[in-house]
Amino acid sequence: MATSNPSVFLLMINGQIEEANFPEHDDLYCKYCFVYGHDWAPTSGLEEGISQISSKGRGSVQSIVWNFPLDITFKSTNPFGWPQIVVCVYGADTFGNDVVRGYGAVHIPLTPGKHKRTIPMFVPESTSRLQKFTSWLMGRRPEFTDPKVVAQGEGREVTRVRSQGLVTLSFNIVTKDMKKLGYDTSSTEAQQPSGLVTEPTYTL
């Protein structure tokens, strides 16, 4: 009896958006979405979500804890366009308007197993002092119309941004049939200590 060769491989992602560190801000919530290539398609789970509003703990604890779950499965025929997760953090300004406090993105870890990633966040900046003052007065801070642009390099070099805050995510990754399709996911990534974002690599 002939064994059928798989035509696609699966990437199963389970994890959490654990916490954020924004020294200047409190009472924040986050949104997430996935960005992936044309050959990828979600088969189950949620592509986007929005968390509850969380506040900093008392005392010396300055982190904002969400522990917001992530659970999605993708199928694909090749690794090009490996999924990224885009995280956007929001909070109220002085006038009670919801404004963005940070954008960030990271590739989903390539190797199976448990991983932790800390994403440096940034916000777009007004190009002049007048625009800065006007946006503050009107409660309209600079924002991306489509947050998915954060995961794309195109046009990013002309955007003025400012670093602001960190968001920590944990992942539990399972892959299926990648080796059968000729892709080797073994790398030194599993031996690296968890820390700031490092981009994945793959061997064809």
Side-chain angles (χ1 to χ4, degrees), residues 127-146:
T127 53
S128 70
R129 288 184 179 180
L130 178 61
Q131 283 181 331
K132 216 178 261 188
F133 176 73
T134 306
S135 64
W136 175 82
L137 196 64
M138 302 294 289
R140 294 176 184 171
R141 306 292 175 90
E143 290 187 22
F144 294 120
T145 52
D146 182 5

Side-chain angles (χ1 to χ4, degrees), residues 12-31:
M12 289 159 269
I13 303 161
N14 188 273
Q16 290 183 333
I17 303 176
E18 291 188 349
E19 61 181 21
N21 194 315
F22 284 79
E24 298 175 13
H25 303 292
D26 200 357
D27 301 323
L28 304 177
Y29 67 93
C30 71
K31 296 180 181 179

